[in-house]
Amino acid sequence: MGQCNPRYFRSMDIDPASLMVRFSGQYSQPCGEPPQESYFQRFDRLDLTMVDRIAPNNGVAASRLGFFHLSPDLKLLSREKTQELFSWPNGQVFATIRYGYDTTYGPASMIFEVRPSRGEIQHEPATIAMSLSSAANELSAISVVRAFRSASGETVAVATYSPAHGDLLNVTGDMSPRVGISMKTWVAFGFPASFSIAAYQANPTWQSPLGTLLSYLTVVNFHYNRNRWVRQDVFVDGDTEPGKHQTRFLEYQLTAQDSMLETADRTLPWGGIDRRRELPSK
């Protein structure tokens, strides 16, 4: 009889110097039946091993705290964390960080992006904090989410800005229906070409340039320490009252694997999407 695939383990340790991975505490579950407690799900192929870090949530959908790619000899090649940034009745927005350790096909890097989704994605939930942690001392990115309604459907667009000078790096989005409002450039969504960080932090308001669409929801996010913490300003009345907003502070779980890889991660340049992408048009 062949080996069960996937298999489930209690622990996954990563050597920070060699990036070799070791599993321990295999669950004696029937094949294909995951445990009821936290586990690492390991799926082996001839060319690759894939691992999911899963944490059950007392009857609620399980949280995915990490996804890993390993070589056949169990050396870490890459990992990914997808974290919920904001949700409302019509959709969700996720922040994803991809850590690339293998240089076979390109330089090692850490890529960050924010994107909307109308479907459920396995992810890590955010914890609401009372204030921004004093350890949040490095601004890593800024993102702005804007949601629009029209007779033909709804559009959610996200802009990402650089942390140094507030330069616009990318605009992406999601439409319902998939072919909806015709959009030619990022300007139509009311995203400025640059985000004045100092001016906004001194007076947190949001108002789109004249001539752009009016949104019913704008969410401004300051991502700190590579999305360990987020300050989030939610403008629930769109552009009609640009100064009216609610502020939330988000925290994400520091896993054992994050701690193991802290030294290795410091060697990875913080990247992002360095080109502009337009939404599909009619």
Side-chain angles (χ1 to χ4, degrees):
M1 182 179 293
Q3 175 178 277
C4 179
N5 207 2
R7 291 179 287 165
Y8 309 103
F9 296 86
R10 290 179 174 83
S11 300
M12 185 180 85
D13 295 314
I14 307 170
D15 182 85
S18 66
L19 297 181
M20 296 302 296
V21 176
R22 182 175 62 86
F23 295 90
S24 60
Q26 183 171 357
Y27 286 95
S28 57
Q29 300 289 125
C31 193
E33 295 185 15
Q36 297 301 308
E37 56 189 89
S38 297
Y39 61 91
F40 293 88
Q41 176 178 276
R42 172 178 167 179
F43 186 91
D44 294 300
R45 302 188 330 197
L46 290 177
D47 62 333
L48 190 69
T49 289
M50 297 175 289
V51 181
D52 271 304
R53 175 71 171 99
I54 303 297
N57 288 333
N58 298 322
V60 183
S63 298
R64 189 194 206 192
L65 303 183
F67 179 60
F68 306 81
H69 283 108
L70 315 179
S71 66
D73 62 349
L74 302 187
K75 182 175 182 179
L76 179 64
L77 303 176
S78 66
R79 68 182 179 119
E80 180 176 301
K81 294 170 73 74
T82 295
Q83 300 164 321
E84 183 180 9
L85 187 62
F86 190 77
S87 64
W88 70 104
N90 294 340
Q92 294 174 297
V93 178
F94 297 97
T96 298
I97 309 174
R98 297 183 178 92
Y99 305 76
Y101 304 96
D102 182 53
T103 58
T104 302
Y105 302 104
S109 64
M110 190 182 297
I111 303 299
F112 175 79
E113 65 179 4
V114 179
R115 69 187 191 279
S117 174
R118 298 187 185 279
E120 181 66 24
I121 298 175
Q122 276 194 304
H123 64 275
E124 175 186 348
T127 298
I128 305 299
M130 294 298 294
S131 61
L132 190 65
S133 169
S134 60
N137 53 17
E138 177 189 343
L139 180 61
S140 300
I142 304 157
S143 65
V144 181
V145 180
R146 309 200 74 220
F148 310 85
R149 294 192 186 100
S150 75
S152 59
E154 183 179 75
T155 301
V156 182
V158 180
T160 307
Y161 293 87
S162 71
H165 305 292
D167 298 323
L168 180 64
L169 300 177
N170 175 64
V171 175
T172 189
D174 188 27
M175 293 179 173
S176 178
R178 293 301 302 174
V179 179
I181 306 170
S182 177
M183 296 295 165
K184 297 299 183 183
T185 67
W186 48 267
V187 177
F189 295 101
F191 295 124
S194 62
F195 187 98
S196 177
I197 301 170
Y200 180 88
Q201 291 182 334
N203 183 25
T205 61
W206 180 267
Q207 190 164 16
S208 297
L210 294 176
T212 62
L213 290 173
L214 297 182
S215 71
Y216 72 88
L217 174 72
T218 297
V219 183
V220 180
N221 304 290
F222 291 87
H223 306 266
Y224 290 91
N225 297 65
R226 303 181 178 187
N227 213 53
R228 178 79 172 84
W229 296 279
V230 176
R231 171 190 162 146
Q232 186 174 86
D233 295 337
V234 182
F235 296 84
V236 294
D237 291 327
D239 303 312
T240 56
E241 295 183 46
K244 184 180 179 181
H245 71 278
Q246 297 176 336
T247 298
R248 305 196 309 169
F249 302 99
L250 311 181
E251 292 184 358
Y252 297 97
Q253 182 173 337
L254 185 68
T255 66
Q257 289 67 46
D258 291 328
S259 298
M260 294 172 194
L261 292 167
E262 183 179 4
T263 300
D265 289 346
R266 287 193 186 125
T267 68
L268 302 179
W270 175 255
I273 300 175
D274 59 1
R275 63 189 184 278
R276 293 174 184 168
R277 292 186 297 171
E278 296 179 358
L279 290 179
S281 60
K282 285 185 179 179

